[in-house]
Amino acid sequence: MSAHTRPSQPGIRLRVDLGGDPRPHRSAKIEAHLRVDVAADGAPGDLPAVQLAVIIAVDVAESNRAAVRHALPTALRALPDRISFAVLGSGPQPVRCYPRGDAEWAVADREERRRAAFVTGSLPLHREGPRPAGYAAWVAGARALLDGRPVSVRHLVLITDGSSAAGETRLEEELDACAGQFTCDVFAVGADWTPDPLLTLAERLHGTAEFVDDGLGGAITAAIHRLRRVHTPQLPIEVTVRPSVRQVSLSEKAPRPHRLGGLPQPGRPNCWSFPTYQWQQGARDYLLTLVADSGTDPLETELQFAMVSVGDVHEPVTARWHLPDRSPPPAPAGGDSVRELTATARMRGALRQGLVALEKHQLDTAADRLGQAARLAAQFRVDWVLNEISAVADIEDASAGRVRLRAFEAGTLGPMILRAGSRPGRPLADAVGARPGPRCGGCGTPAGSEARYCIGCGEKLL
């Protein structure tokens, strides 16, 4: 192992901004924007390569060998010293191409890189006949191989032309089994792949999905260099809720959209843990949604509905139920960030839905959804969305959402759908910090101004 060690606890700042106080209902929705900043204080610039294990899996038909013939040796020659790596090709099932023999992993040095680049010239690829049953087979093979490599960062690079995706039935089941085991970047080549399962892989395995027409070797190298900038491989976000909260969900919105699965904590019935991965220095934005029953709560009283914890940093989510016959007060400081977060998600969704409708020749639906995306992009000044729309439609009035479809190359839609679902969004404006409140005298956990018991230790607040 490297003599350099990273701090066990990164520098974390957490801000919670509420979208507005809710009206009482048995299933009222409360939304909050979480901004998490991580500073790798005192850490070396790059994670030591010995702490990384990477699988490069090539799910490509023999007819598309040209797409990887030069890219794969280029990427292998650029591997950093001491990184663990393996290369998978495919016959009827994924098969290890490198390292050769009984070893499951190679450790990069000058000789290993040279041998790997040479061996992959004979990489087995799909031919006519049986093929792996979709992406689930690749994910399962990666999980089995990575299970025996206990390093800090474990990652799959999947290169696919979609040639093995027919008959996919087990992807969601296999992704459930892989939760928390490794992360994944997907590179699509050729023109016959379907975007939806690739976006699912990227969202569920906390990576990216990207179409690469040229420069695949550089794209693989860049992905591995990004892994070396990881400061904290895994950082759970815990949400502890009051008993009246019946549902909890958390989704990452920026820099990339990711679906987060909540894990109940044994012995803590009101606590959920949402694992997140590959933390570098910088900020991430999350949308926290709570569904609560107001039946036993007082009205017009500040209540603590949840405590959000990241490492040793805690912030409360506080709101009050407003009387139904009264106008709600102005939105709290930072409320605009929640509205922008949800609007940006709607913009991404409308863009993707419009492109999918265009692919299915549902022209009225396509024009409507692309118009919605253009209106929101104009409102929030997101130029890349307007540029994407202009590739398939004339934007007559972006602010009014008026677009007119026009002729385009059909092969452009797949890459555009991938970008709509996985491309980084623009950073949100800085939000105002969460409203202050008292802390528990016993454990120091912050509490809402009207809370009676500590949500952390359960002791009565004085």
Side-chain angles (χ1 to χ4, degrees):
M1 298 291 288
S2 169
H4 294 292
T5 58
R6 297 195 161 210
S8 58
Q9 177 65 61
I12 296 172
R13 289 185 300 168
L14 170 63
R15 291 179 292 188
V16 177
D17 295 304
L18 200 67
D21 289 325
R23 294 193 181 274
H25 190 273
R26 68 179 307 273
S27 297
K29 185 166 70 172
I30 301 169
E31 292 182 322
H33 167 210
L34 313 184
R35 165 66 63 90
V36 185
D37 289 276
V38 167
D41 300 328
D46 286 337
L47 187 71
V50 72
Q51 297 184 28
L52 278 70
V54 175
I55 296 173
I56 301 175
V58 186
D59 171 32
V60 172
E62 179 62 41
S63 59
N64 281 329
R65 181 178 287 273
V68 298
R69 177 180 290 121
H70 301 295
L72 197 53
T74 297
L76 291 169
R77 293 190 191 100
L79 289 174
D81 283 341
R82 304 185 74 191
I83 190 174
S84 298
F85 74 98
V87 182
L88 302 183
S90 56
Q93 292 291 327
V95 59
R96 188 173 68 252
C97 170
Y98 197 84
R100 310 290 286 177
D102 295 332
E104 291 188 332
W105 291 92
V107 177
D109 59 20
R110 182 177 179 181
E111 181 62 19
E112 287 288 356
R113 287 191 293 267
R114 185 192 67 78
R115 286 170 54 85
F118 173 76
V119 168
T120 54
S122 61
L123 181 78
L125 299 177
H126 301 320
R127 297 179 183 271
E128 295 298 326
R131 293 176 177 176
Y135 300 116
W138 294 95
V139 174
R143 177 166 59 90
L145 188 55
L146 286 163
D147 187 55
R149 205 66 174 177
V151 294
S152 296
V153 176
R154 303 189 295 177
H155 193 72
L156 168 65
V157 173
L158 176 63
I159 305 162
T160 182
D161 62 358
S163 58
S164 72
E168 180 72 79
T169 58
R170 299 186 297 108
L171 182 57
E172 289 288 348
E173 176 185 345
E174 185 55 46
L175 289 173
D176 288 340
C178 292
Q181 302 300 308
F182 59 92
T183 53
C184 175
D185 284 327
V186 182
F187 296 108
V189 298
D192 296 326
W193 41 271
T194 302
D196 285 346
L198 304 187
L199 288 169
T200 298
L201 282 165
E203 290 169 0
R204 293 287 302 278
L205 296 179
H206 298 261
T208 63
E210 180 181 343
F211 169 68
V212 182
D213 188 28
D214 192 18
L216 176 61
I220 299 170
T221 299
I224 293 172
H225 285 173
R226 285 197 301 272
L227 296 179
R228 296 201 65 189
R229 293 197 295 270
V230 170
H231 174 261
T232 302
Q234 180 174 341
L235 187 63
I237 299 177
E238 287 194 352
V239 181
T240 306
V241 299
R242 64 187 294 119
S244 63
V245 175
R246 296 201 303 260
Q247 296 177 31
V248 183
S249 65
L250 185 68
S251 57
E252 182 178 322
K253 298 300 183 181
R256 286 182 169 87
H258 287 142
R259 281 188 278 167
L260 304 183
L263 305 174
Q265 298 302 288
R268 302 171 66 189
N270 296 322
C271 183
W272 294 82
S273 179
F274 295 86
T276 64
Y277 303 92
Q278 292 190 10
W279 280 85
Q280 303 174 19
Q281 291 195 83
R284 294 189 187 183
D285 294 287
Y286 297 87
L287 182 65
L288 172 66
T289 303
L290 309 174
V291 176
D293 183 355
S294 65
T296 59
D297 289 336
L299 303 180
E300 299 295 346
T301 300
E302 194 81 3
L303 301 169
Q304 181 172 325
F305 286 90
M307 177 66 71
V308 179
S309 303
V310 185
D312 295 331
V313 179
H314 313 274
E315 287 292 342
V317 178
T318 60
R320 65 180 69 213
W321 299 116
H322 283 297
L323 294 173
D325 57 347
R326 294 186 183 177
S327 299
D336 286 344
S337 72
V338 178
R339 286 187 289 275
E340 183 172 348
L341 207 62
T342 55
T344 302
R346 290 198 307 273
M347 177 188 66
R348 280 183 181 274
L351 175 61
R352 181 172 167 184
Q353 292 164 15
L355 295 171
V356 170
L358 205 54
E359 191 176 44
K360 297 177 179 179
H361 304 289
Q362 299 169 348
L363 302 185
D364 289 344
T365 300
D368 177 71
R369 299 298 188 274
L370 293 176
Q372 292 180 30
R375 179 176 55 79
L376 290 166
Q379 179 181 349
F380 294 105
R381 298 182 177 87
V382 186
D383 290 339
W384 73 265
V385 172
L386 295 174
N387 291 337
E388 293 285 86
I389 295 171
S390 65
V392 296
D394 294 320
I395 302 175
E396 297 178 340
D397 187 341
S399 59
R402 289 204 307 270
V403 303
R404 180 166 49 84
L405 301 178
R406 57 178 171 76
F408 61 91
E409 293 185 14
T412 64
L413 288 177
M416 291 175 69
I417 294 169
L418 273 194
R419 289 194 292 269
S422 188
R423 177 172 176 155
R426 77 176 176 86
L428 297 172
D430 286 339
V432 178
R435 290 169 287 180
R439 292 179 177 267
C440 173
C443 67
T445 299
S449 60
E450 297 296 328
R452 296 176 176 83
Y453 293 88
C454 176
I455 202 169
C457 67
E459 293 295 322
K460 187 172 182 179
L461 298 174
L462 302 177

